[in-house]
Amino acid sequence: MSRIAVVPGSFDPITLGHLDVIDRASRIFDEVHVLVVHNPDKSALLPIAQRVTLIDRAIREAGIPDHVLVTSWSMGLLVDYCVDVGASVLVKGIRSQIDVAYETPMAIVNRNLAEVETVFLLPDPSHAHVSSSLVRQVAGLGGDISPYVPAAVADYLQNQRGD
Ligand code: COD
């Protein structure tokens, strides 16, 4: 049986931490769907379609294999997408106890809703301090974001600023 996993996130924008988790998931699962979802609790920098394009470029540049695909979802529960595509696993990246505390209730509710299990993966420690909100802040104030994001994202945001 082929095992499909969904890696959901706002990815606004994708960071090297996200990329590390996607890469690790690609080594475990037969098919991986990177799913861009709007998070109503966060104010957006990039349109969803642009986030999808940048993730696609970043994963191809990183040599992540073709069984990883990128799409978006705005039709309701995360687990509805999982059921639609036959995915039995959600993958979430964990940087700290704060992520564990935030993700654990959602993992239990998602299991209760649709028997979708959540797998927590740890990034390389060098990426554990990186977040999209930090990148948005540094980019907005004119700083260098290249240590934190894939080259495709750094190029795109620097071009937007006219650097
Ligand atoms: N290293 C490793 N992992 C990381 C890093 C990093 N540097 N940065 C972020 N991550 C992880 C996060 O912990 C998270 O697991 C994932 O990557 C995505 O992060 P973000 O910031 O892009 O996305 P979020 O946190 O805004 O998540 C958006 C979701 C839509 C995935 C989330 O809000 C969610 O699961 N919502 C549930 C919607 C739903 O169906 N609710 C009802 C039942 S719970």
Side-chain angles (χ1 to χ4, degrees), residues 72-148:
S72 62
W73 176 251
S74 57
M75 311 281 284
L77 295 169
L78 211 45
V79 292
D80 290 344
Y81 178 85
C82 295
V83 170
D84 273 10
V85 300
S88 54
V89 175
L90 283 164
V91 172
K92 298 288 188 93
I94 295 296
R95 291 160 291 187
S96 68
Q97 290 301 323
I98 295 169
D99 283 345
V100 176
Y102 178 70
E103 297 290 351
T104 300
M106 290 198 283
I108 292 168
V109 170
N110 286 329
R111 185 164 61 196
N112 291 343
L113 283 169
E115 292 179 22
V116 172
E117 295 290 348
T118 300
V119 169
F120 292 154
L121 293 181
L122 305 177
D124 185 278
S126 62
H127 301 312
H129 61 290
V130 178
S131 67
S132 298
S133 58
L134 178 123
V135 168
R136 291 196 296 274
Q137 195 177 100
V138 174
L141 295 170
D144 177 16
I145 55 168
S146 59
Y148 313 117

Side-chain angles (χ1 to χ4, degrees), residues 8-103:
S10 311
F11 301 112
D12 188 28
I14 184 169
T15 68
L16 292 177
H18 291 129
L19 196 61
D20 182 291
V21 169
I22 293 165
D23 183 35
R24 288 174 200 283
S26 78
R27 294 165 199 269
I28 300 171
F29 297 100
D30 302 308
E31 196 175 311
V32 173
H33 296 205
V34 181
L35 190 69
V36 181
V37 186
H38 171 65
N39 184 341
D41 299 332
K42 294 179 178 174
S43 57
L45 172 69
L46 300 173
I48 299 276
Q50 188 59 48
R51 298 181 215 172
V52 170
T53 301
L54 290 174
I55 298 168
D56 225 8
R57 276 190 210 147
I59 64 176
R60 300 307 157 217
E61 278 171 10
I64 291 174
D66 286 345
H67 68 279
V68 178
L69 59 91
V70 188
T71 188
S72 62
W73 176 251
S74 57
M75 311 281 284
L77 295 169
L78 211 45
V79 292
D80 290 344
Y81 178 85
C82 295
V83 170
D84 273 10
V85 300
S88 54
V89 175
L90 283 164
V91 172
K92 298 288 188 93
I94 295 296
R95 291 160 291 187
S96 68
Q97 290 301 323
I98 295 169
D99 283 345
V100 176
Y102 178 70
E103 297 290 351

